Amino acid sequence: MIRGRARERRRGTRVAACIAAVAAPLAFATEIGAATLAEKQMAAEMEECRASDPETATRGCTAVLDRGTLPDHVRWQALEFRAAAFLADASRARAQGRSDESEAAYAHALVDAEQLVRLAGRPERRAVARDLQGRALFGLRRWGEAIIAFDEALAADPAASETRADRARVLANVGDDERARADFDAVIAARRGQPTPLLDRGRFLFDRGRIRDALADFDHAVAYAPNSAVALYWRGRARSRLDDLDGAAADLDAAVYRDRTFTAALFERALLYEHTAQVDRALLLYRRAAAGPASDRATEQARRRLAALDPTAGAPIPPLSVPMPAPAVLLPASAPPASQPTPPAAQPDPPPAQPVAPAAVAPTPSAVVPERTTPTPPAADTPATPRPAPTTLPAPADAATPKSAPSVSAAPADAATSRRRPILADPLFDAPLARRN
């Protein structure tokens, strides 16, 4: 009996050993499979993290960072791509007038960039981290901190032309014209054949009253990007300030044709129509511009001009998707508004008939531009008469200054003072360059 029990114990020991020998490889294989599955999931999340779409990239990078313990290089990549995705999303939101979402995205990008600054060791990593930090501070309009961040980024990588371009834009906003011009020139030299640096320097010169120098940059930008609505718009503005009305009209028409929702181009073209006494066409474009984003300055300006010129401007403004009537359908300047009923023929003491005015001829620039007068809307109870050529365009800043000494002093005193304030309330450059690292 004792021997039988001993045999059973030995048999059980052998069975347990066999089970353990079989189970160990199975457990090892299970662990390998789980690790392989986790690696595959992380690889898929990192692929999303590198996506060009900001929302997809943010989702993938967040999933990677939520895993907790990560190798340093993986954490660095996830933070870098997520910060760049936040910046791209913020730039898009600001362009669409969603200011609250834009501020939140810039704040999230700043948090990730500050983590990258703490993780950075090598100079190339330090340059990337400081560049992302500077762009986030730029978007939040914290100009002084942004300049410090860009300075440190350029100290680590002096050849980073996009970082230098962003620093030039910030310096232009704070009024440091000498350093801004030096940075703009360096970026143009480093990125020959690209329109964006030329547009940046042209806008900088345009804002300082150096219209002819700005026009030269805009000409080069249009030569490099003939289908760019932005380049055509700025060249049209410069030409209009120099009284080249035909060239300005051609450029602004081309800009509106390429982007029919370009509110600033619509407003500038309407100003030009009003300047040449084509009020009906000006009203048409003012209505289209007034239907733009509420946060756009051109939208607000268009609504003001529309209210000043059109007594029925209080009616709902149709969206841009609704076809607008052709200029020939609009009421002439001498006709009563459609909303007011025509007096009956039998009414006693009818007012004397007004003589028919001859057809208005578009005045030449030399006859209209020097007056620079602002039109006064007619009274509501008197029939409108053909309006004189109104002018809302500001006088060219360099018109009264000898060509040998162009300067900001040629502009009005209040404009020059506003440009020289330490921090501009309405900055020339509102956001960093939109790019992905």
Side-chain angles (χ1 to χ4, degrees), residues 10 23 54 106 113-114 119 131 159 243 251 282 320 326 389 412 417 437:
R10 287 195 296 271
Y106 277 124
E114 289 175 346
L119 290 175
D131 175 65
D243 293 336
D251 282 341
L320 290 177
T417 303
N437 290 68

Side-chain angles (χ1 to χ4, degrees), residues 322-360:
V322 177
M324 302 297 297
V329 180
L330 296 177
L331 292 175
S334 60
S339 59
Q340 298 180 0
T342 304
Q347 183 178 1
D349 298 331
Q354 298 291 335
V356 179

Side-chain angles (χ1 to χ4, degrees), residues 245-246 272-279 358-368 387-390:
L245 301 186
D246 292 337
L272 201 58
Y273 275 133
E274 184 182 350
H275 180 67
T276 54
Q278 301 181 62
V279 181
V361 179
T364 60
S366 60
V368 177
R387 297 179 177 87

Side-chain angles (χ1 to χ4, degrees), residues 3-79:
R3 290 179 181 177
R5 289 180 178 175
R7 283 195 300 271
E8 290 178 2
R9 283 197 297 273
R10 287 195 296 271
R11 188 181 299 113
T13 302
R14 287 194 296 270
V15 171
C18 292
I19 293 174
V22 174
L26 291 176
F28 182 70
T30 303
E31 293 177 1
I32 292 177
T36 303
L37 180 61
E39 290 177 357
K40 289 182 178 179
Q41 290 177 349
M42 181 178 291
E45 292 165 356
M46 284 300 298
E47 191 68 24
E48 283 190 348
C49 186
R50 297 186 182 94
S52 59
D53 178 60
E55 295 181 0
T56 304
T58 302
R59 182 174 60 250
C61 295
T62 302
V64 172
L65 292 170
D66 287 344
R67 290 182 173 273
T69 304
L70 293 170
D72 288 343
H73 70 282
V74 175
R75 179 174 295 278
W76 172 272
Q77 290 182 8
L79 286 171

Side-chain angles (χ1 to χ4, degrees), residues 177-178 180-182 184-185 198 200-218 234 237-239 241-242 395-399 401-411 419-420:
D177 293 356
E178 185 177 354
R181 178 62 188 270
F184 282 130
D185 293 345
L198 290 164
D200 282 346
R201 190 175 69 177
R203 292 174 61 187
F204 167 76
L205 295 171
F206 184 93
D207 187 67
R208 267 60 183 175
R210 300 176 60 177
I211 309 299
R212 296 188 185 279
D213 294 337
L215 179 59
D217 282 344
F218 296 147
W234 279 103
R237 286 195 64 183
R239 284 178 166 177
R241 298 307 183 269
L242 296 174
D398 55 352
T401 305
K403 294 183 179 179
S404 58
S407 63
V408 181
S409 60
R419 294 191 189 105
R420 291 182 179 276

